[in-house]
Amino acid sequence: MEALLKAWDGERIIIEFDWPTGAWIIIAIHSTRRGPAGGGTRMKPYSTMEAAMADALELARSMSYKFACADMSRGGGKAVIAVPPDLTPQARADLLRRYGALIHQLGGMFQTGPDVGTSSADMDIIAESGAPYVFGRTVQAGGAGDSGPATAIGVLHGIGVVCQQLFGTSALAGRRILVQGAGSVGGRLIRLLREANASVLFSDVDEATIRQIREIPGVSFVPPEEVYDMPCDIFAPCALGGILNQETIPRLKCRAVAGSANNQLARPEDAELLRKRGILYAPDFVINVGGAMAIVGMETMGWSEAEANTHVTQNIEHMLRQTFDLAAARNISTADAARSVAETRLSGH
Ligand code: PPY
C-alpha cells in the first residue's frame, strides 16, 4: 500500500471507513490545477482495500487526462466505494447519503457523477446531502441523466477516425467490430454500429444482457474466453479495465483497439506492445470523454443534448486525429502522444 501511495502523482486522498456497512470510501483527487476535480463514483466489491485504492488512483489520473485532452477547465478525481457484496438496498441508500455529506464537506473540491456500479438514481440520493456537487442526476430531478448515450456517441465517432486512419474512409459499413461488454455504453454502441451497417460481434457475462443483445439483427455473440482471439477489424473494450496486457496483446487479431472502458492498459508500457504489433490504439481517456463532457457541459454551460453531442463528436474527432498525427511524427505510441498533450496542459504550459 505504501509503495502504491508514494508512486502516485496526485494531490490528495480522502479515506473513510463506513462503520454501518463496512464499506471503504476512497476519494482520490489527482489534480485541481485546471479546475475543481471531477470524476465518477465507482461502487463495487473489491478483493482487497489495496485493489480499491489502486483503482481510485489510476482512475483519478485518467480523469485529469480526460478533461485536459478535452480542454475543459476541470481537474481529475475519482471516488471508489468498496462495498461488501451483500449490501441491502436500504443500507446502500443510507451509505450513499453519508457519502453525499462527505462530498458536501469537501466544498466543491471534488464533484462527482455516475460510474461503474452507480446510476443517475443513485446521484439523486447522493445529491440529497451532496448538492450542488453532484452531476448526472435523473432528468426528473433536474440533472442531465445517464452519461452512457453520450459516451457511446463519442466512441462511435472515434471509431470513424480510427477507420479513416486505417482504411482511408471513416465509413463503418461492413467493418467487423467486436464490442466487449454490452452494458450502459457497450449496448448503445452496438445499436449505433448496426445503424451504420457495421458487422457487430459482442461479448458479455450477464445472461439477460446476452439474450437481449443477441436478438438484434446482424449481431453475434462471442463467448468471453474467445474475445482476445477473435479476428475482427476493431476491438472495442467497453467493460472493465486492465484487459490490454502481456497475456492478451499477443493474441489480438484486430487492426485497432477503440472502446469506452477506463484504464484499458494494464501498465503504461503495454501501449508499446500494441504499437509493436501494429495495432492502432485509441487512448481510452481521449475516446471515452463523451459522458463526462456532455454531463458537465449540460449542467454547467447550459448545453442542450444536441449541442453536447456536437461538442463531444467534434472534440473526440479532433483530439484523436491530433493524437495519431503526433504519434506518427514522433514515432511513439498513441497513448504516449495523448499523455504528453495532457501532461503539458496539466503542468500549466
Ligand atoms: C468518467 O468519464 O469516467 C466519469 O467519471 C464521468 C463523470 C465525471 C464527472 C462528472 C460526471 C461524470
Side-chain angles (χ1 to χ4, degrees):
M1 182 71 92
E2 195 180 334
L4 194 66
L5 299 177
K6 274 188 177 163
W8 193 54
D9 56 350
E11 289 175 10
R12 184 160 298 168
I13 303 166
I14 293 113
I15 305 174
E16 200 158 287
F17 182 67
D18 184 67
W19 279 100
T21 57
W24 283 100
I25 299 172
I26 302 168
I27 301 176
I29 296 176
H30 180 261
S31 171
T32 54
R33 186 97 193 229
R34 295 171 53 87
T41 297
R42 179 167 290 204
M43 193 175 195
K44 66 186 200 77
Y46 284 84
S47 52
T48 62
M49 166 65 171
E50 191 162 350
M53 179 63 76
D55 219 15
L57 300 186
E58 290 303 318
L59 290 164
R61 184 193 286 116
S62 288
M63 288 310 302
S64 293
Y65 286 0
K66 208 177 284 199
F67 285 126
C69 282
D71 216 359
M72 293 177 80
S73 51
R74 298 248 145 211
K78 202 84 169 192
V80 162
I81 307 183
V83 284
D86 50 1
L87 215 52
T88 66
Q90 183 62 50
R92 187 176 179 282
D94 290 342
L95 165 61
L96 289 177
R97 287 188 191 95
R98 289 187 292 274
Y99 169 63
L102 173 59
I103 297 288
H104 189 82
Q105 227 170 19
L106 296 178
M109 183 198 295
F110 175 68
Q111 315 197 354
T112 199
D115 195 82
V116 171
T118 58
S119 63
S120 286
D122 292 333
M123 295 307 121
D124 290 353
I125 299 175
I126 298 169
E128 289 172 21
S129 47
Y133 310 124
V134 184
F135 292 109
R137 286 168 300 144
T138 61
V139 175
Q140 302 88 284
D146 185 7
S147 59
T151 310
I153 288 169
V155 173
L156 178 80
H157 285 266
I159 289 176
V161 175
V162 166
C163 285
Q164 177 77 45
Q165 184 82 6
L166 290 176
F167 310 114
T169 161
S170 61
L172 300 180
R175 301 289 174 219
R176 206 171 138 87
I177 301 174
L178 168 56
V179 180
Q180 180 186 43
S184 149
V185 178
R188 284 181 177 88
L189 177 63
I190 288 167
R191 289 187 168 83
L192 293 171
L193 289 168
R194 281 302 299 141
E195 283 167 22
N197 284 319
S199 147
V200 179
L201 305 165
F202 86 101
S203 177
D204 204 286
V205 290
D206 180 69
E207 280 304 323
T209 306
I210 295 169
R211 244 177 289 130
Q212 194 194 350
I213 302 289
R214 263 191 149 146
E215 300 283 302
I216 305 171
V219 175
S220 27
F221 175 69
V222 175
E225 64 277 12
E226 291 173 29
V227 162
Y228 305 109
D229 309 290
M230 183 59 60
C232 58
D233 293 311
I234 294 167
F235 171 42
C238 297
L240 290 177
I243 46 95
L244 301 173
N245 53 50
Q246 289 161 288
E247 196 262 317
T248 59
I249 293 170
R251 290 159 61 187
L252 295 177
K253 291 173 188 65
C254 57
R255 299 280 309 273
V257 177
S260 69
N262 276 316
N263 298 356
Q264 294 169 30
L265 298 168
R267 310 163 308 159
E269 312 88 90
D270 292 321
E272 206 49 45
L273 297 183
L274 285 168
R275 187 171 85 98
K276 289 202 179 110
R277 286 219 48 210
I279 297 172
L280 183 65
Y281 173 57
D284 46 14
F285 57 84
V286 175
I287 197 172
N288 74 10
V289 74
M293 190 176 198
I295 285 190
V296 172
M298 285 166 77
E299 295 191 20
T300 68
M301 289 184 277
W303 296 349
S304 67
E305 192 178 324
E307 284 167 340
N309 288 340
T310 304
H311 280 283
V312 164
T313 303
Q314 288 180 349
N315 182 281
I316 292 175
E317 288 182 350
H318 170 78
M319 189 60 208
L320 262 190
R321 281 194 206 106
Q322 190 184 330
T323 299
F324 294 160
D325 289 349
L326 186 63
R330 290 201 197 153
N331 207 19
I332 56 175
S333 73
T334 53
D336 282 342
R339 269 184 223 129
S340 90
V341 171
E343 276 166 11
T344 302
R345 289 182 184 171
L346 283 165
S347 68
H349 298 299

